Amino acid sequence: MSKPPRWLFDDGLWSLTNDLTVLVANGRFFREAAPDQRALADYAGRQLRMPNVEANRPDPTCLRWHRRKVFLG
């Protein structure tokens, strides 16, 4: 069973820049096989849409912490 995207985030396999551009850890941290779905690596460099409600936007301080302390990239 594959992990949901949130678990992959928690494990540091992907993160976000402050402008919500997707960062994906390099392949030395995991091997990816996605025969029936889009591979995580395909999301690298894509920008997520910012939530319309400001209260739902990710805190840049938290994103910065995740990139420094959790992200494996």
Side-chain angles (χ1 to χ4, degrees):
M1 176 184 222
S2 63
K3 290 184 174 187
R6 184 190 65 80
W7 290 357
L8 299 173
F9 182 83
D10 292 348
D11 288 347
L13 298 179
W14 71 279
S15 192
L16 293 168
T17 64
N18 288 351
D19 70 352
L20 302 187
T21 299
V22 177
L23 303 170
V24 176
N26 91 34
R28 70 185 172 108
F29 294 105
F30 68 101
R31 283 202 343 221
E32 187 168 28
D36 297 330
Q37 56 195 3
R38 176 177 262 175
L40 180 60
D42 291 346
Y43 291 95
R46 291 178 175 252
Q47 191 170 24
L48 301 180
R49 285 180 279 167
M50 189 71 76
N52 291 330
V53 178
E54 191 166 335
N56 294 337
R57 295 178 184 169
D59 183 332
T61 303
C62 294
L63 291 175
R64 188 171 35 260
W65 179 89
H66 184 268
R67 289 190 306 268
R68 285 195 318 227
K69 302 290 186 176
V70 181
F71 182 53
L72 299 172

